[in-house]
Amino acid sequence: MKPLSRTVGAVPPSGIRRFFDVAAQMEDCISLGVGEPDFVTPWHIREAAIWAIEKGFTTYTSNYGLFTLRQRISAHLKRRYGVEYSPEDEMLITIGVSEGLDIAMRALLNPGDEVIFFEPSYVSYPPCVMFAGGTPVPVPTDYRQGFQPDVDRLRDAITPRTKAILLCYPNNPTGTVASHEVLKEIVRLAVEHDLYLVSDEIYDRLVYDVEHTCVASLPGARERTILLGGFSKSYAMTGWRIGYACAPAQIIEMMIKVHQYTMLCAPIAAQKAAEEALEHGEAEVERMRREYDRRRRLIVERLNEIGLECLPPQGAFYVFPSIRCTGLRSEDFTEQLLWEERVAVVPGNVFGSSGEGHVRLSYATSLPRIEEALHRIERFVRKRRG
Amino acid sequence: MNQEQHKAILEILEQDARTTPEQIAAMLGLEVEQVKQAIHQLESAGIIRRYKTVIDWDRFGEERVFAFIDVKVSPAREVGFDDVAERIYRFPQVHAVYLVSGDHDLRVIVSGRTMKEIAAFVAERLAPLDRVQATYTQFVLKRYKEDGEVYAETEPDRRLVMTP
Ligand SMILES: Cc1ncc(COP(=O)(O)O)c(C=O)c1O
């Protein structure tokens, strides 16, 4: 038979598959490897979706998504970050940020175009770039700098083929929130070299002790930025598959072409749920954020006690400690911890080679389970340290 | 320590009274000593009244019957309903007494081992009280949620064990 797609074939298989298969079979396994909230969607949101279905909201919507939802997102972004996007032609409702990323890359890239992003990074970035015919260019960040993006390294990575910089703050997997100043410099660099910015701000509401900086709000950014946002994390709505993309009209026009011919539109009941989330979800967002914050402080303190050093991350719901004291590589640590103590974590190297020597722990798990997991991790690490 | 931090300690303990001062300190970024002191203060001030355990007695296999009893009372000069309320709440089988708006004046929640026992309580203790004009008893058939606690099977964690 003829060979399958070279582009797709070039993307390596998922790095967590083999751990997933083991953990999924294991009874009494505590997983700190989950990248989604442990809360179920707040009841008022679920209830609003049930109501919408009862009322017959079962049709397609505009390719752009419900106008009323776009209006609410637009008002929300203006109120929170002072950025203005017209609900008419500067935004579109996507099937999660996942689709937003895909169509952003397809709208921007020509074959061979390079996209720079900081590593460790969310696992979908390199494949999304590659599927769109581009070349992913990772720039490593350092544990000792709290994984802050390094502007000098970024500058060195820029070539004549560079088309865009892909940012993700608050970050998965490190939990890092880039400082306002550094982001400003990155925008300045993008302006200087005429690069697009794609900013995945899916964790924007989950920040602790700091303010979120919306990249599009920075001087010079708006005209070259695709802002991606979503409901999955802030409102515990991962299964609803709703996100949004905001950008200048000529970019949205390109994105909507891909979206309309491949997705048509996001599911209407989920869009109605998202409307409810924006309208009445504030208290629940804050309740969950506060709960994450308490777990975060506890887990950071305990990990450092155990010897798995980490600086306190300021966003999302991940910690990304160093496992150096055990002398193990990320995958060996993960595998041995799973078999010996039945605790699942994600090896840092799946987020790029600069994640080697780390593991990702998610604190989107109830406190008692986090406590028990830490207890087991402590026992595991103590044996390794002798 | 400020009001906000006191409130945070109370919320944590309200959710799980067995959270240790060490854990609370870590969760809130405070010193352990500070937390201990604050808890002590909150106890002395009668804000933390006591620590109790939420138990599903049904699951344990113990029969307990609950009833809501609405009581009509003629108020008295000076004391209003307070004296009657007090006569009622002193009975240990009385779980709660509220002064309420609407058709009745007091709402009483009573527990007993059997319906008969509760019926006897109403007939012999409650109804004959001075100034009690009428009682209206409703037995609880099933408890779904109480004090914020849902008494159903807990829903399983439906998430995949590992996701990026
Ligand atoms: C950084 C980042 N971007 C995007 C996504 C995907 O989000 P969505 O559910 O909106 O597709 C995730 C989910 O884990 C994520 O961590």
Side-chain angles (χ1 to χ4, degrees), chain A residues 35 96-98 122 125 168 172 200 202-203 232-233 241 318, chain B residues 164:
Chain A
V97 169
S98 302
Y122 180 50
Y125 295 165
C168 176
N172 177 8
D200 175 351
I202 191 166
Y203 293 100
S232 289
K233 317 292 174 169
R241 314 305 308 125
Y318 308 107

Side-chain angles (χ1 to χ4, degrees), chain A residues 266-287:
Chain A
I268 190 169
Q271 292 192 56
K272 296 298 284 182
E275 282 187 358
E276 169 68 22
L278 281 177
E279 200 74 351
H280 301 292
E282 206 45 43
E284 290 286 310
V285 171
E286 181 52 23
R287 181 181 68 80

